[in-house]
Amino acid sequence: STHDVGNIGSSIVSHQLYDYIKDEELDVLGEPLPKSQMKEEDFDLSFSKELEFIFELGLAPEFDAKTAYDNLPTRYDVQIDDAYLNKEIGIFQDQFGESSQPEAAAEGDILMGKAVFLDEEGNPLEGEGNEVYVPFNPNRLENEEIFKSLHGVKIDEEVDIDYAIISDDPAKLAELLFIEEDQATKLLNEKNRFQLKRINRVEKAEINEAFFKKVADALQWEIAEDQELTEEDFNERLKERLLDSLERNARVLFHNKLTDTVIEAHQLEFPDAFLKDWLVRTNENKDEAQIEEEYPEFTRSLTWTLVEGKLIEKFEVKVEEEEIEERLKSNLLGNLAMQSGGNVDPAMLEAYMNYAKQDQNTMQQMFRQALSEKVLATLEEEINPSREPIDATAFMELIEEDRKGRK
């Protein structure tokens, strides 16, 4: 049939096209795009007529990967300061403290209520979207003025709140209050009244040996039953754990900044018209305007992919199967620890490992992550960046700034 002949013809054309790309050693981007379409009259059941097909290829730019850069980012050596250590201990004190739900708000309470939007006469507006549930958590929202205005307020009492005191930027306000940005905009611009609905008060756990043992058990520290755990021992063990986490964050922050530096150092020229056409054709849920808007970020990512490929060859980077499994184990352990409050059953971890290893997409993702991290670690050794000490409190502010900048 004509349909079958068409399929056979398309298959032959595809094979010849990719054989050509392979023989010519062409480094192509995206997929070849046909510039002409076969018509029904072109199908020849005897295959006696010579046909011509025209395809457009997007060729990758030719370049040499640089390994020396101007304006290198700083590699931070994080140190635990007293304020950071005390804050982390305070989190455990809350975790193992006693909770209650009093009738009136006081300092340190976590408050939940709803902001009700009002008409010009001060009456509640009816209908969907005229209420916003708002949490006030002192561990996240450091604003004494707001909490002082709520001290003594009882359940179901109503008060007026000026949310601009927290932030007059809707995006920032939304982030601090865990609400949508359009809701934050309404809170800042439309008349509303806050009604307190819930008060959660935590009596912090007392710092003593029993507290140390609870934390040690949650973090799965190896401690003998008859071993005494002093405050000094506890602080040192906790510092070690915190430093391990902070060092990972310092490495990630540096690698993020280094990736930016590498991309900026390679101003590659791409076949823009071809790539935009290809993106439009292969993303049915996006129109040309969306592709145009996202194109700069696409080319940044593509630049890194191409440079990374050359660095892999230059440094002869390889990833062993054991490294992939170790990364998978680390990721699963972190996720399970968050879900279980710290205690992870080894048998459960093994079961999750065996299940995840059957998923090719997961294992490919682990491979890609391990490969990229190894490339950046090798590049870090090559460039030998300057290192600078920094206390943990200041460092976490840098982490937050970097996170916001990458949204």
Side-chain angles (χ1 to χ4, degrees), residues 37-281:
Q37 298 291 334
M38 288 183 70
K39 300 176 182 177
E40 188 172 340
E41 57 264 26
D42 291 330
F43 292 110
D44 181 4
L45 294 177
S46 65
F47 291 99
S48 60
K49 186 169 67 172
E50 186 175 297
L51 299 175
E52 181 182 81
F53 300 93
I54 302 174
F55 287 85
E56 184 179 9
L57 303 180
L59 298 181
E62 295 183 5
F63 68 98
D64 293 321
K66 301 176 183 178
T67 54
Y69 309 98
D70 297 326
N71 304 316
L72 280 171
T74 301
R75 181 65 156 90
Y76 290 105
D77 293 318
V78 188
Q79 302 170 349
I80 303 286
D81 55 291
D82 289 342
Y84 187 81
L85 178 62
N86 291 335
K87 183 178 180 180
E88 293 298 313
I89 292 174
I91 292 173
F92 284 113
Q93 285 182 279
D94 288 340
Q95 182 179 335
F96 295 109
E98 295 291 331
S99 294
S100 62
Q101 285 73 46
E103 285 296 313
E107 184 178 355
D109 290 343
I110 298 174
L111 310 175
M112 170 63 81
K114 65 178 180 180
V116 180
F117 292 99
L118 311 172
D119 61 22
E120 293 181 0
E121 285 74 38
N123 300 311
L125 291 170
E126 296 182 0
E128 187 177 349
N130 288 315
E131 290 183 354
V132 180
Y133 279 87
V134 181
F136 291 103
N137 187 338
N139 295 322
R140 180 174 180 80
L141 181 62
E142 297 179 0
N143 190 299
E144 289 186 13
E145 188 173 349
I146 284 292
F147 286 102
K148 282 183 179 179
S149 70
L150 292 167
H151 288 175
V153 176
K154 297 180 179 179
I155 297 295
D156 289 330
E157 284 189 351
E158 297 181 346
V159 292
D160 292 324
I161 292 178
D162 181 5
Y163 291 93
I165 294 173
I166 301 172
S167 175
D168 58 6
D169 175 17
K172 176 69 173 177
L173 183 63
E175 181 182 355
L176 290 171
L177 297 181
F178 288 107
I179 59 177
E180 298 297 327
E181 189 170 334
D182 60 338
Q183 294 176 326
T185 300
K186 285 190 70 173
L187 289 177
L188 290 169
N189 297 314
E190 298 182 21
K191 190 174 183 180
N192 64 84
R193 186 171 296 125
F194 179 79
Q195 185 181 51
L196 185 60
K197 303 302 293 183
R198 181 181 175 86
I199 302 169
N200 189 45
R201 181 173 299 165
V202 177
E203 294 292 336
K204 288 182 176 292
E206 187 178 346
I207 296 180
N208 52 31
E209 189 174 1
F211 168 71
F212 301 150
K213 292 274 186 165
K214 286 180 181 178
V215 176
D217 183 56
L219 299 180
Q220 295 184 311
W221 292 350
E222 294 183 4
I223 297 175
E225 288 186 14
D226 59 348
Q227 179 181 346
E228 182 183 358
L229 192 60
T230 66
E231 185 170 6
E232 183 179 359
D233 294 334
F234 173 80
N235 287 347
E236 285 304 310
R237 291 287 291 269
L238 186 56
K239 278 184 178 180
E240 288 177 15
R241 180 183 177 86
L242 294 173
L243 278 174
D244 183 56
S245 174
L246 289 164
E247 169 53 29
R248 286 197 300 272
N249 283 332
R251 183 171 60 250
V252 169
L253 176 64
F254 177 75
H255 286 174
N256 285 345
K257 298 286 189 183
L258 180 57
T259 301
D260 293 339
T261 300
V262 172
I263 291 172
E264 292 303 319
H266 295 85
Q267 297 297 316
L268 305 183
E269 293 188 9
F270 292 108
D272 296 326
F274 168 84
L275 287 174
K276 290 176 184 179
D277 189 14
W278 173 70
L279 288 168
V280 168
R281 296 195 196 190

Side-chain angles (χ1 to χ4, degrees), residues 23-43:
D23 293 342
E24 296 295 321
E25 298 183 348
L26 300 179
D27 192 3
V28 299
L29 303 173
E31 296 285 335
L33 298 179
K35 299 297 288 183
S36 60
Q37 298 291 334
M38 288 183 70
K39 300 176 182 177
E40 188 172 340
E41 57 264 26
D42 291 330
F43 292 110

